[in-house]
Amino acid sequence: MNYMPGTASLIQDIDKKHLVLLRDGRTLIGYLRSIDQFANLVLHQTVERIHVGKKYGDIPRGIFVVRGENVVLLGEIDLEKESDTPLQQVSIEEILEEQRVEQQAKQESEKLKVQALKERGLSVPRVDTLDEY
Amino acid sequence: MAEGGEPVILEDYLLVEDVPLLEEMAEEDEELDLYNEMTFGLDRDSTEEDAAKPLMPPETSPELAKVVAEETEAGEELGSGAAEQLEELGEPQEEGGMELEVEQVISELEEEEEELGTEEQEEDQDPSEEPNDLGDPAVMRAVQSKPTLESQDSAVLDSRIGTCWAEFGKEDMLAMDPVVWGSCPGSIPPHHVLEDKAILQVLERPPPSTNMALDFLGSPMQRGYGGSPRLKHPGFRLMSPKSFPQRFLRQQSPLMPRSLCSPRPFTPARRPSPLFASNQTAGYAAPTPFRPISPHISPPQPLTMHFGPVSPSLDPALFFSPSASSQLNLSTPSHMTQLHPQHQRILTQRQQQGGQAQSISPKKLWSPKVDPYAGLMTSKEKDWVVKVEMIQLQSENMDDDYYYQTYYQRLERKQAEEELLGRRNKQEPPKLVTPFIQKVETYDSVVRIAGSLGQVAVSTCYSPRRAIDAVHHALVEEAAGSHRLRALHRIEKLFLQLLEVEEMQRKMSLAPEEQQPCCQEQKSQEVERIYQALKIRACSSEEEAEDEFLQLLCVQKGKKLTARLLPHLPREQAEKILLTITHHLPFLMKKDVLDESLPLLYSPLNEVVGGMTFSNLIKVLQEMTRPLPKSPELPLTMALKNQFGISLLYSLLSHGERLLSSDVPLEPCGGDFEMWTDMVFLVARELSQVPKASLVEPLFLPSNLLSLFCRYLDKQTIHHLEAKMECSPLLSEAAMLC
């Protein structure tokens, strides 16, 4: 049992497989080897997982040191249930291609939206020029 | 390189005496590659020569690989002569590019080959980029490799762990470079390590304790291990397999933190701290550093750890040192901060129960195969992190760690309830003041550097959350300045005071019963101070612009200030404010045209109205009907065109109606009722006269208005008014009854 009840600590999570979601949208999966008081993480045998639709692809990345403030959330992966997923793993090239296609489609629809708004005299600031939050 | 091809290590030829072992290693490399490929992608380098084995960084294009192969062939030809040359050579070339790493290996000879290499490189650059160009240099290789056991069964961490362990013998000790943090023990065949000039240099360097750059890397295991002379310690045991390729070792300079190396060459048993031996892998046990330490434990090698930021202000006793903590006197209460008492109780209970082994997660699927990388974070390090976290919990400020505070409050409440119900026979043991951490210094919360703008963020491990103080400590008094500026300044000052009052209020509600009266007094004093500072006084219409209170009210924040202050004020003062606002309503409404923030005041004023006596109500209403010197319109009429105004009016009328229709004796002053009736008629008249278009919808339409009008007016007028006021069908029924 956690000997700091009422608080959250990553101490119990050391050496376990985790899924980490970063602020830039990346998903990392790796063994959590080390932490510090800022929740900076050291991930071992890390794999970056890209999801597009029902498919995903893993890119092996090695060791990651993640600055704590960039983590949105993380959670332990249940190794028993890990393979029990409806998602289909594909090769890296395929998933990157799918991602590219998805990005393109999004950009195009965004462009159309902006165009339509412009015609109506409205302008929405681009997301990348806005503050993150 | 085809799958399963052997990487050629040039240095094999440099230390000739190690050739026999080399051959063994060469065979192992094959297996190595499989593992490497799994983690880092297939290496395309395709040198198949048995003799020459250059180390290839995975990103190398096939063409470059060929080049390197040629280079190594050339190197081969030079034979043993190269060995001496290479050994004599100087600095490892610390180039960042991966392709250039190969040159590190070959050094002098490379320069010739380099030209050869680059030529070929340039030729073949473009086609080589395509397959490699996944747009991300970190993507080593994306080629289908044969599925490894690891990928198919996630429970398997390393399918070759068992096979490689026996192969390492004492010679591997030589490969151990304790200076390098987490140097790879077994993953790199020792000769290759020694042949790496970089490693050689490091080994020959003086002991690492003098090397500041490595200090922060130097975990206790390093210190405890000492320098190279201790390499041959017989008790040393290697654990990890060759999980990381030699190439990675080569790519780094010895000074760089070897982040890509496989970590933790030591087994837990080698740790100099037997205190946590039992707790190594099995989760995390009770906070043993917090109690007086038994004398048999030897002090750990490093008394100071340099993890994370090294703050000169850190008390060395903070870090785990049994001798130091044994000096801590548990029984003396002190000025030291402490954990939440409930938390302390839990901790002491735990200590009393002794170090029970923590339950290991039953889902440890890989338990038959020990995770070779487990324990990278030593228990000392975990302790340290936990210590810092505990320090973070100790805070005077209620806002820090809301969940921690709430958790314990709820726990206490539950226990108190249970106690009440008689389930618990004895009280909890009295609060223990466990001097967990002694704050050696007073923390300077706001650091101002002369001539700088704003504050410098100062956060130590004592208060890691405190970046800057949002409260402005040095309030600058402005002598001159426009009215508006002064008004704004006053608002800010008063707001700060108001926030303190609200804080007091909040603390009061959480504090035990006995403390409440004195807190209440304190709070009232503060509130009184703010009220006085508002400088509410009677003023004529000409002076309205100059009146300080009204100036405040012209600013949106000033309205917010007043709105938030109203609930805390005593009745008379609140009513005074209401009176003032109503008196100057036209002025305020005029000033509010841009902001439209008057409705902020509606809600608190509504509350005030709801508690007024009839006479006071009449007084307020009278303000609305006094004629204005400069305008033919009544304030009343103007109010009808303003959302706040009409809402306030309705609120006043509604309250009056409520008072009249209730049974409470009104104690009116003389002439009150006549005033009232006049008021109602006046309102009705104005309402009917005002064109519907300029009539504004109020913030809230009280339901008893129509019944009020019913009493005094005829049906026709009522229907007319009803239409004007856009009452709901339900209310119109009330009209029907009239």
Side-chain angles (χ1 to χ4, degrees):
Chain A
M1 189 176 129
N2 186 12
Y3 66 94
M4 292 216 296
T7 65
S9 176
L10 287 171
I11 290 287
Q12 306 291 330
D13 289 28
I14 295 284
D15 291 333
K16 296 184 182 149
K17 197 167 189 183
H18 278 75
L19 182 141
V20 180
L21 180 63
L22 301 179
R23 283 210 329 221
D24 62 358
R26 279 189 278 183
T27 307
L28 302 178
I29 294 174
Y31 290 90
L32 184 63
R33 293 297 177 199
S34 188
I35 57 161
D36 68 358
Q37 70 269 35
F38 306 112
N40 294 330
L41 316 169
V42 172
L43 293 171
H44 180 227
Q45 287 171 3
T46 320
V47 145
E48 179 182 335
R49 186 162 288 185
I50 300 180
H51 289 272
V52 179
K54 288 245 170 194
K55 302 186 189 165
Y56 71 91
D58 286 346
I59 305 175
R61 294 288 195 189
I63 299 187
F64 260 85
V65 174
V66 182
R67 187 182 169 94
E69 66 171 332
N70 292 303
V71 174
V72 172
L73 52 87
L74 74 148
E76 190 185 335
I77 290 180
D78 187 341
L79 295 167
E80 288 165 0
K81 298 184 186 159
E82 192 183 9
S83 34
D84 183 21
T85 165
L87 304 173
Q88 176 206 0
Q89 179 164 23
V90 299
S91 71
I92 299 180
E93 294 96 340
E94 196 181 327
I95 200 71
L96 287 169
E97 177 62 26
E98 296 253 356
Q99 195 185 38
R100 195 187 60 78
V101 165
E102 191 192 43
Q103 284 291 89
Q104 228 173 13
K106 237 195 260 186
Q107 269 176 14
E108 281 178 23
S109 75
E110 185 69 30
K111 222 170 54 164
L112 288 174
K113 257 198 276 182
V114 168
Q115 185 68 25
L117 286 171
K118 235 177 26 174
E119 285 167 11
R120 285 153 181 79
L122 302 165
S123 80
V124 182
R126 277 159 51 102
V127 184
D128 50 356
T129 58
L130 283 177
D131 225 13
E132 273 188 51
Y133 34 86
Chain B
M1 183 169 74
E3 275 185 59
E6 302 165 10
V8 173
I9 302 150
L10 183 65
E11 290 69 15
D12 293 358
Y13 300 94
L14 302 181
L15 286 179
V16 183
E17 55 266 22
D18 291 317
V19 167
L21 277 157
L22 265 178
E23 284 162 1
E24 282 179 37
M25 293 304 169
E27 287 155 13
E28 288 158 17
D29 289 334
E30 204 171 346
E31 300 166 44
L32 243 181
D33 274 315
L34 265 176
Y35 192 89
N36 297 338
E37 282 149 25
M38 185 206 80
T39 319
F40 301 103
L42 180 59
D43 205 19
R44 286 219 195 124
D45 309 321
S46 54
T47 51
E48 302 255 310
E49 288 89 330
D50 297 326
K53 300 181 184 178
L55 275 183
M56 312 289 280
E59 296 83 17
T60 316
S61 65
E63 289 68 23
L64 185 57
K66 264 189 267 163
V67 164
V68 176
E70 285 159 9
E71 290 173 20
T72 56
E73 276 176 37
E76 224 183 294
E77 286 156 15
L78 294 164
S80 51
E84 287 87 37
Q85 275 184 314
L86 285 166
E87 284 198 62
E88 286 160 13
L89 286 169
E91 314 307 307
Q93 296 162 24
E94 294 174 28
E95 278 131 271
M98 294 296 204
E99 300 91 312
L100 300 172
E101 298 299 339
V102 184
E103 294 162 45
Q104 218 177 335
V105 168
I106 307 171
S107 74
E108 254 178 20
L109 301 166
E110 291 163 11
E111 271 150 51
E112 295 174 77
E113 275 98 20
E114 217 180 301
E115 293 159 36
L116 176 67
T118 36
E119 285 169 35
E120 299 211 25
Q121 240 177 311
E122 281 162 22
E123 288 172 43
D124 303 327
Q125 201 65 35
D126 288 344
S128 77
E129 269 174 15
E130 260 171 24
N132 199 18
D133 183 26
L134 295 166
D136 184 350
V139 178
M140 318 274 191
R141 195 60 35 124
V143 174
Q144 293 285 352
S145 57
K146 82 176 185 210
T148 59
L149 187 56
E150 285 82 355
S151 62
Q152 287 173 330
D153 181 1
S154 61
V156 174
L157 258 191
D158 184 352
S159 50
R160 285 165 313 182
I161 287 177
T163 57
C164 62
W165 286 14
E167 289 152 6
F168 293 113
K170 281 219 183 132
E171 286 96 344
D172 297 334
M173 302 298 209
L174 295 170
M176 281 314 308
D177 181 10
V179 172
V180 175
W181 175 53
S183 58
C184 327
S187 61
I188 302 93
H191 337 278
H192 306 145
V193 166
L194 284 181
E195 284 132 20
D196 186 343
K197 285 180 306 307
I199 299 278
L200 276 173
Q201 286 179 330
V202 169
L203 284 177
E204 282 146 34
R205 206 179 287 122
S209 52
T210 57
N211 188 343
M212 283 313 291
L214 288 169
D215 256 1
F216 78 99
L217 300 172
S219 65
M221 59 185 177
Q222 302 302 332
R223 304 297 176 76
Y225 213 67
S228 21
R230 297 201 206 164
L231 278 174
K232 300 195 177 175
H233 196 304
F236 185 80
R237 232 194 334 132
L238 295 166
M239 277 276 287
S240 55
K242 8 181 215 305
S243 54
F244 283 88
Q246 307 87 308
R247 50 198 78 153
F248 281 94
L249 188 62
R250 293 173 181 290
Q251 284 151 11
Q252 299 136 25
S253 89
L255 284 179
M256 297 285 288
R258 301 224 167 202
S259 55
L260 297 182
C261 266
S262 59
R264 208 192 63 85
F266 308 96
T267 63
R270 278 303 301 153
R271 274 291 121 66
S273 145
L275 184 66
F276 291 102
S278 58
N279 300 343
Q280 279 300 323
T281 47
Y284 203 51
T288 40
F290 311 139
R291 63 180 165 186
I293 305 302
S294 50
H296 70 270
I297 291 165
S298 57
Q301 309 270 355
L303 270 186
T304 55
M305 290 187 222
H306 290 285
F307 290 115
V310 181
S311 162
S313 61
L314 287 174
D315 185 4
L318 164 66
F319 299 105
F320 175 58
S321 156
S323 45
S325 43
S326 60
Q327 292 160 14
L328 296 172
N329 192 348
L330 277 188
S331 56
T332 49
S334 64
H335 59 280
M336 304 172 200
T337 56
Q338 44 179 313
L339 296 171
H340 194 284
Q342 188 62 24
H343 190 180
Q344 280 167 357
R345 280 179 225 142
I346 290 181
L347 283 182
T348 49
Q349 277 173 16
R350 296 262 182 92
Q351 287 169 20
Q352 287 157 12
Q353 287 163 17
Q356 299 167 7
Q358 296 301 310
S359 63
I360 306 172
S361 161
K363 295 181 187 165
K364 212 172 174 187
L365 290 178
W366 64 88
S367 41
K369 300 179 180 176
V370 179
D371 181 4
Y373 300 99
L376 171 68
M377 195 177 186
T378 68
S379 49
K380 273 211 187 75
E381 296 162 17
K382 288 184 191 173
D383 280 347
W384 187 87
V385 173
V386 166
K387 238 179 227 183
V388 173
E389 288 178 2
M390 289 253 206
I391 294 172
Q392 286 175 346
L393 290 175
Q394 298 174 15
S395 147
E396 307 299 325
N397 187 357
M398 283 266 286
D399 289 332
D400 284 352
D401 230 320
Y402 166 82
Y403 294 100
Y404 176 72
Q405 303 284 350
T406 323
Y407 177 85
Y408 281 103
Q409 279 166 21
R410 288 192 187 161
L411 199 63
E412 270 187 1
R413 244 176 272 158
K414 224 180 0 159
Q415 282 177 352
E417 277 175 22
E418 284 183 11
E419 218 178 295
L420 239 58
L421 294 170
R423 276 186 223 149
R424 284 167 156 273
N425 297 326
K426 69 172 174 79
Q427 265 261 351
E428 281 297 302
K431 295 181 187 179
L432 248 184
V433 178
T434 315
F436 165 66
I437 176 67
Q438 184 174 3
K439 291 207 173 173
V440 256
E441 53 161 324
T442 51
Y443 167 59
D444 202 7
S445 61
V446 174
V447 174
R448 296 182 154 269
I449 298 173
S452 77
L453 282 174
Q455 305 166 13
V456 177
V458 177
S459 65
T460 68
C461 74
Y462 296 112
S463 46
R465 291 200 182 102
R466 203 104 159 262
I468 59 165
D469 259 1
V471 178
H472 193 53
H473 285 268
L475 287 174
V476 179
E477 291 301 324
E478 288 165 41
S482 69
H483 285 311
R484 185 163 174 87
L485 213 55
R486 258 181 286 161
L488 293 174
H489 193 67
R490 272 179 69 215
I491 291 173
E492 291 303 322
K493 261 202 295 193
L494 293 173
F495 224 101
L496 289 175
Q497 292 179 18
L498 176 67
L499 288 174
E500 278 175 29
V501 166
E502 288 185 350
E503 181 73 26
M504 266 191 251
Q505 177 70 43
R506 204 159 52 85
K507 281 208 181 116
M508 224 170 60
S509 59
L510 295 169
E513 292 300 321
E514 318 81 62
Q515 291 175 18
Q516 290 209 358
C518 56
C519 290
Q520 185 73 40
E521 255 186 63
Q522 249 185 322
K523 193 194 114 183
S524 333
Q525 279 173 10
E526 278 300 314
V527 170
E528 179 63 30
R529 255 206 296 156
I530 302 177
Y531 182 77
Q532 293 303 330
L534 283 175
K535 297 198 189 143
I536 304 169
R537 55 186 184 82
C539 79
S540 64
S541 346
E542 292 79 32
E543 295 166 357
E544 271 171 350
E546 302 293 316
D547 180 54
E548 295 192 27
F549 179 56
L550 290 180
Q551 276 174 17
L552 288 192
L553 279 181
C554 291
V555 181
Q556 185 184 25
K557 196 161 184 184
K559 294 190 189 88
K560 275 195 203 159
L561 172 72
T562 316
R564 278 168 76 161
L565 180 65
L566 274 167
H568 300 286
L569 286 172
R571 172 140 300 282
E572 312 82 48
Q573 290 178 342
E575 286 180 9
K576 182 92 201 300
I577 290 185
L578 173 62
L579 199 65
T580 317
I581 289 176
T582 327
H583 184 85
H584 296 281
L585 195 59
F587 172 74
L588 289 173
M589 289 193 294
K590 193 176 71 172
K591 288 284 179 179
D592 193 48
V593 169
L594 284 171
D595 269 343
E596 290 182 21
S597 52
L598 270 175
L600 285 170
L601 289 164
Y602 173 71
S603 182
L605 286 178
N606 197 22
E607 298 292 321
V608 176
V609 166
M612 287 179 96
T613 63
F614 196 65
S615 323
N616 291 343
L617 185 70
I618 298 296
K619 286 202 198 91
V620 174
L621 278 171
Q622 271 182 312
E623 297 291 342
M624 284 201 132
T625 54
R626 69 187 177 87
L628 292 170
K630 290 186 192 137
S631 146
E633 269 191 330
L634 284 178
L636 174 64
T637 328
M638 293 167 74
L640 289 176
K641 298 177 193 158
N642 179 284
Q643 192 181 37
F644 171 72
I646 197 173
S647 317
L648 186 63
L649 176 68
Y650 284 177
S651 166
L652 292 163
L653 289 174
S654 164
H655 182 64
E657 169 62 18
R658 232 193 337 260
L659 286 176
L660 282 173
S661 48
S662 72
D663 295 327
V664 177
L666 290 173
E667 296 163 16
C669 306
D672 269 355
F673 284 122
E674 290 83 6
M675 296 273 193
W676 173 253
T677 332
D678 289 341
M679 269 300 314
V680 177
F681 277 122
L682 192 57
V683 170
R685 196 185 76 206
E686 291 298 327
L687 263 177
S688 49
Q689 282 179 1
V690 161
K692 190 140 189 243
S694 37
L695 192 66
V696 181
E697 223 183 290
L699 292 162
F700 175 71
L701 186 64
S703 49
N704 55 358
L705 281 183
L706 265 187
S707 30
L708 163 67
F709 289 131
C710 274
R711 262 200 269 153
Y712 300 94
L713 305 164
D714 57 289
K715 266 198 196 161
Q716 198 184 12
T717 328
I718 288 176
H719 283 302
H720 186 51
L721 285 177
E722 183 195 350
K724 269 278 180 64
M725 286 160 63
E726 291 174 9
C727 303
S728 63
L730 185 63
L731 291 171
S732 63
E733 295 223 358
M736 297 292 271
L737 294 168
C738 300

